[in-house]
């Protein structure tokens, strides 16, 4: 029986963790709402145990977590429903504890920090979120770490920056990657010349797999930073270099996001987080490296090469449509 479960597994991070576990020959359980999505992502892997759940049902949560030692939590919500994050975390944690789960790893974000006071940001930086989304993510972390403090479960949090990679469509760079391969214009959120960092999604899985197996990881929060400080502009220029042609851009700033947001809920929700484009949070992951050793990080040029290689070429897209 698998002893580690990935809750919210069908997303990019979940698939990266699954690949790392499979490379070790380790059985794992993938948990999500849609059996079809899980089978599409993991049906090829005999090591994957596919389980569906209803997070609003305590019985369903307990069943999904039954027989599991470690739960990795990546459950997503609509970007305009962030109030669900602490609610779903509490329901999942209660069910997991009732089922006898001993460890939980929450995959987190920089949102709880609010505006950075220092660069880079270490794990002891104050958490003072000035946005609703930041407060909801902070509440989610607090639920997990409070359960650890009370001795109900052993818990840790791994915070990630923005990410990109093959097949990752929820990335600041996704539109640029598609336009670089298929033509057209890239819709991007600016400004593009501010410092930023990105983590290459395939690099995340091995780190999470190791962290989950490290007893000293539990009871505190960790950072996994990107492969260095860059800018969106530099990433686009690397795409241009690799494809050998210029990339047209349509760049939306905060004002444009507000206007478009009148008609598109997702774009409206980007407005309050726009500070991350102008006042970026750059993370220090030296503590994580001290814990588990050197971190393998794909250089940006190689990450972009692999990201572009995964984008369907125009002929491939036409064949799929036909």
């Amino acid at each position: 029986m698998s002893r580690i479960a990935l809750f919210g597994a069908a997303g990019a991070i979940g698939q990266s963790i699954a690949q790392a576990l499979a490379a070790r020959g380790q059985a794992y359980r993938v948990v999500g709402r849609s059996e079809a999505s899980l089978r599409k992502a993991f049906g090829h892997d005999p090591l994957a145990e596919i389980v569906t759940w209803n997070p609003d049902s305590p019985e369903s949560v307990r069943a999904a977590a039954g027989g599991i030692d470690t739960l990795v939590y990546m459950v997503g919500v609509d970007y305009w429903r962030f109030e669900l994050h602490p609610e779903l975390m509490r329901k999942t944690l209660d069910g997991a504890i009732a089922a006898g789960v001993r460890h939980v790893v929450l995959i987190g974000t920089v949102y709880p920090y609010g505006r950075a006071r220092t660069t880079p940001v270490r794990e002891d930086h104050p958490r003072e979120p000035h946005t609703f989304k930041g407060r909801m993510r902070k509440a989610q972390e607090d639920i997990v770490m409070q359960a650890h403090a009370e001795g109900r479960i052993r818990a840790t949090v791994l915070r990630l920056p923005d990410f990109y990679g093959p097949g990752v469509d929820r990335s600041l760079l996704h539109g640029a990657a598609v336009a670089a391969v298929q033509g057209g214009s890239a819709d991007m959120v600016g400004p593009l010349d501010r410092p930023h960092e990105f983590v290459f999604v395939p690099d995340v899985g091995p780190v999470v797999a190791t962290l989950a197996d490290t007893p000293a990881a539990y009871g505190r929060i960790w950072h996994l930073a990107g492969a260095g400080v860059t800018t969106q502009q530099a990433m686009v220029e690397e795409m241009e270099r690799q494809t050998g042609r210029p990339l047209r851009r349509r760049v939306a700033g905060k004002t444009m996001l507000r206007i478009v947001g009148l008609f598109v809920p997702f774009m409206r929700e980007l407005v309050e987080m726009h500070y991350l484009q102008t006042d970026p949070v750059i993370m220090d992951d030296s503590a994580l490296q001290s814990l588990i050793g050197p971190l393998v990080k794909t250089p940006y040029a190689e990450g972009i090469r692999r990201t572009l290689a995964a984008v369907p070429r125009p002929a491939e897209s036409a064949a799929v449509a036909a």
Side-chain angles (χ1 to χ4, degrees):
M1 178 180 291
S2 52
R3 300 294 293 169
I4 184 168
L6 313 180
F7 275 58
I13 299 298
Q15 293 184 53
S16 174
I17 300 170
Q19 289 166 8
L21 295 171
R24 295 178 168 191
Q26 183 175 348
Y28 59 95
R29 181 179 299 173
V30 290
V31 180
R33 297 179 178 90
S34 167
E35 182 175 355
S37 296
L38 292 174
R39 293 209 174 276
K40 180 179 179 182
F42 307 104
H44 64 282
D45 188 354
L47 292 171
E49 177 190 5
I50 294 173
V51 175
T52 57
W53 75 323
N54 174 8
D56 293 321
S57 165
E59 295 80 9
S60 179
V61 177
R62 288 195 297 271
I68 291 299
D69 177 78
T70 301
L71 189 157
V72 182
Y73 186 93
M74 303 158 286
V75 178
V77 303
D78 290 330
Y79 210 54
W80 52 92
R81 296 293 308 279
F82 256 51
E83 71 276 4
L84 295 177
H85 269 307
E87 177 184 336
L88 290 176
M89 187 77 257
R90 185 175 289 106
K91 290 177 178 178
T92 304
L93 200 59
D94 288 345
I97 292 170
V101 174
R102 297 175 58 240
H103 303 90
V104 61
V105 180
L106 169 62
I107 305 301
T109 175
V110 300
Y111 288 13
Y113 286 127
R115 287 190 169 87
R117 294 185 182 180
T118 62
T119 298
V121 169
R122 301 189 316 183
E123 293 88 344
D124 58 358
H125 186 285
R127 294 182 305 151
E128 298 174 336
H130 59 287
T131 64
F132 174 75
K133 290 178 179 58
R135 291 192 294 272
M136 292 302 97
R137 281 295 210 169
K138 178 179 181 295
Q140 182 188 47
E141 289 184 356
D142 289 344
I143 290 167
V144 171
M145 298 312 292
Q146 183 62 33
H148 178 95
E150 293 170 354
R152 300 170 63 211
I153 197 168
R154 302 193 71 209
T156 187
V157 178
L158 179 67
R159 295 198 185 112
L160 304 177
D162 284 330
F163 46 82
Y164 78 109
V168 180
D169 57 4
R170 295 190 176 185
S171 166
L172 288 172
L173 301 173
H174 174 67
V178 171
V181 173
Q182 298 182 358
S185 297
D187 291 323
M188 304 187 70
V189 178
L192 303 184
D193 60 353
R194 297 291 295 147
H196 212 88
E197 66 178 342
F198 296 92
V199 67
F200 188 59
V201 165
D203 293 341
V204 176
V207 172
V208 175
T210 300
L211 194 70
D213 278 345
T214 304
Y218 293 92
R220 60 167 293 181
I221 292 170
W222 307 91
H223 286 171
L224 174 59
V229 179
T230 183
T231 66
Q232 290 190 79
Q233 182 67 27
M235 299 291 268
V236 168
E237 289 173 355
E238 179 61 26
M239 293 180 191
E240 292 175 324
R241 188 191 70 78
Q242 294 191 21
T243 60
R245 58 178 179 269
L247 196 160
R248 297 195 299 275
R249 310 149 171 80
R250 288 193 297 251
V251 181
K254 193 172 184 178
T255 299
M256 182 57 67
L257 290 175
R258 285 198 177 99
I259 294 171
V260 177
L262 295 173
F263 311 98
V264 183
F266 176 77
M267 300 299 285
R268 180 171 64 244
E269 296 301 320
L270 291 176
V271 173
E272 74 165 344
M273 305 310 298
H274 187 262
Y275 76 94
L276 289 171
Q277 304 306 113
T278 56
D279 302 290
V281 176
I282 305 297
M283 293 196 293
D284 178 341
D285 60 10
S286 57
L288 181 64
Q289 295 188 55
S290 296
L291 177 72
I292 65 174
L295 303 172
V296 176
K297 298 182 182 182
T298 300
Y300 286 129
E302 173 62 13
I304 287 173
R305 185 192 68 77
R306 292 167 60 182
T307 299
L308 295 179
V311 176
R313 270 50 185 171
E316 297 172 10
S317 300
V320 171

